[in-house]
Amino acid sequence: MLIGNKNFEIGKRTYVMGILNVTPDSFSDGGKFNRLDHALFHAKELIDQGADIIDVGGESTRPNHVVVEADEELERVIPVITALHKEFDIPISVDTYKAVVAREAIMAGAHLINDVWGFKKDPDMARVAATLKVPCCLMHNREKAEYRDYLQDVIADLKESVEIALNSGVKPENIMLDPGIGFAKNYEQNLELMNHLELLKKLGYPVLLGTSRKSMIGNTLNLPPQERVEGTLATTVIGIMKGCDFIRVHDVQQNKRACLMTDAIVRN
């Protein structure tokens, strides 16, 4: 899978996407990196720790987050993406569900669209991805956590996202999938999906897992976001064993080491 000028050899090893939130209200690091100099410093930290991709987000997607208008989101992410593209030779992902933000971010130097609504929120998003010929990550999400057959419904929802992408002209080799842990799922459903991630892999696309510091871990361990590293590591290892190709995390160094060790065992 080609992201920017880097070839990601799916199946060879696990790749780490480092989270760079430039939002004032992110659940785990809100406001810490929403100044350009702070964002660049943290990006260098993530790269030095072994990140393969930097994921820039300008709107928090935590529960009860404040919805951000496109203009404000652009003001947050474009200067950071422009500077990252200039300073570092690393693929950049933009975490957005708005087509106008995605387009401007790609023009500024981003290489991957990471859409938490799987192309279902903004009808123009799939066309933007197809026109600009960039890879995209389609995450599972839905308006209400109501399911008739939970696991099969999740798979069906993801198939819908893939169809939207393909019908708009996105090439199959430019698609990856995300199970959407923590989105439109209760605690038990998150755990159940974690235990059946191989179902996503059967769809034939690379899988990205994003569990870092999430409430599923907090509810299990009864710990605040900053103390959920070990719990995140457990989900990373299980994810790799279930076939995940990318992991999206805050704590790159620890997760990178867990990936290397797990890869040595399961990918041989």
Side-chain angles (χ1 to χ4, degrees):
M1 185 176 210
L2 196 64
I3 305 175
N5 61 1
K6 300 287 173 68
N7 183 32
F8 291 78
E9 296 182 278
I10 304 304
K12 289 286 181 70
R13 71 175 181 91
T14 307
Y15 296 97
V16 178
M17 177 184 279
I19 298 170
L20 182 59
N21 285 319
V22 288
T23 61
D25 61 340
S26 167
F27 81 97
S28 73
D29 51 13
K32 284 177 72 174
F33 310 119
N34 60 342
R35 267 181 47 186
L36 184 57
D37 54 342
H38 291 179
L40 287 175
F41 179 80
H42 187 54
K44 187 174 188 314
E45 283 185 321
L46 297 175
I47 293 166
D48 289 346
Q49 291 172 8
D52 300 291
I53 307 172
I54 300 292
D55 189 47
V56 180
E59 177 178 339
S60 174
T61 50
R62 65 177 174 79
N64 305 315
H65 72 280
V66 178
V67 175
V68 176
E69 295 300 322
D71 286 349
E72 184 174 352
E73 191 176 342
L74 284 165
E75 282 180 23
R76 293 177 182 180
V77 302
I78 298 304
V80 173
I81 290 169
T82 302
L84 285 175
H85 184 61
K86 183 180 174 184
E87 292 282 329
F88 306 111
D89 180 26
I90 188 169
I92 303 163
S93 165
V94 59
D95 181 358
T96 187
Y97 56 85
K98 301 181 184 78
V100 64
V101 176
R103 177 187 293 279
E104 292 300 320
I106 299 300
M107 302 308 285
H111 310 97
L112 168 74
I113 297 170
N114 184 13
D115 185 351
V116 299
W117 281 99
F119 285 0
K120 294 180 182 180
K121 196 76 165 178
D122 188 331
D124 288 332
M125 186 64 107
R127 188 170 49 81
V128 166
T131 303
L132 297 177
K133 298 181 171 62
V134 291
C136 51
C137 182
L138 308 176
M139 197 191 81
H140 176 264
N141 206 345
R142 52 164 63 188
E143 292 288 350
K144 292 183 178 178
E146 296 172 358
Y147 303 91
R148 290 169 66 182
D149 185 343
Y150 171 60
L151 290 174
Q152 292 308 311
D153 288 354
V154 168
I155 297 302
D157 289 350
L158 283 168
K159 284 181 177 177
E160 283 179 8
S161 288
V162 170
E163 283 300 307
I164 292 168
L166 294 176
N167 290 340
S168 294
V170 176
K171 293 180 178 177
E173 61 267 28
N174 275 343
I175 295 173
M176 70 170 77
L177 303 177
D178 180 336
I181 298 296
F183 290 80
K185 301 165 188 71
N186 63 29
Y187 173 67
E188 291 79 13
Q189 288 167 338
N190 283 316
L191 293 176
E192 186 178 359
L193 187 54
M194 274 298 308
N195 200 27
H196 292 89
L197 290 171
E198 70 279 358
L199 295 176
L200 271 74
K201 195 65 184 170
K202 288 177 182 176
L203 295 176
Y205 299 94
V207 176
L208 178 145
L209 179 65
T211 56
S212 188
R213 303 183 184 176
K214 286 188 174 175
S215 62
M216 172 186 73
I217 297 163
N219 290 336
T220 302
L221 303 178
N222 194 26
L223 290 171
Q226 287 76 12
E227 294 182 38
R228 298 174 187 172
V229 179
E230 298 91 346
T232 300
L233 294 176
T235 62
T236 291
V237 171
I238 290 168
I240 295 168
M241 294 179 76
K242 294 280 186 181
C244 294
D245 305 284
F246 297 83
I247 58 154
R248 179 182 178 274
V249 293
H250 300 85
D251 306 288
V252 168
Q253 186 176 69
Q254 298 93 323
N255 280 277
K256 182 78 171 189
R257 290 171 178 171
C259 287
L260 289 169
M261 191 66 233
T262 312
D263 282 351
I265 297 166
V266 303
R267 299 193 199 274
N268 198 19

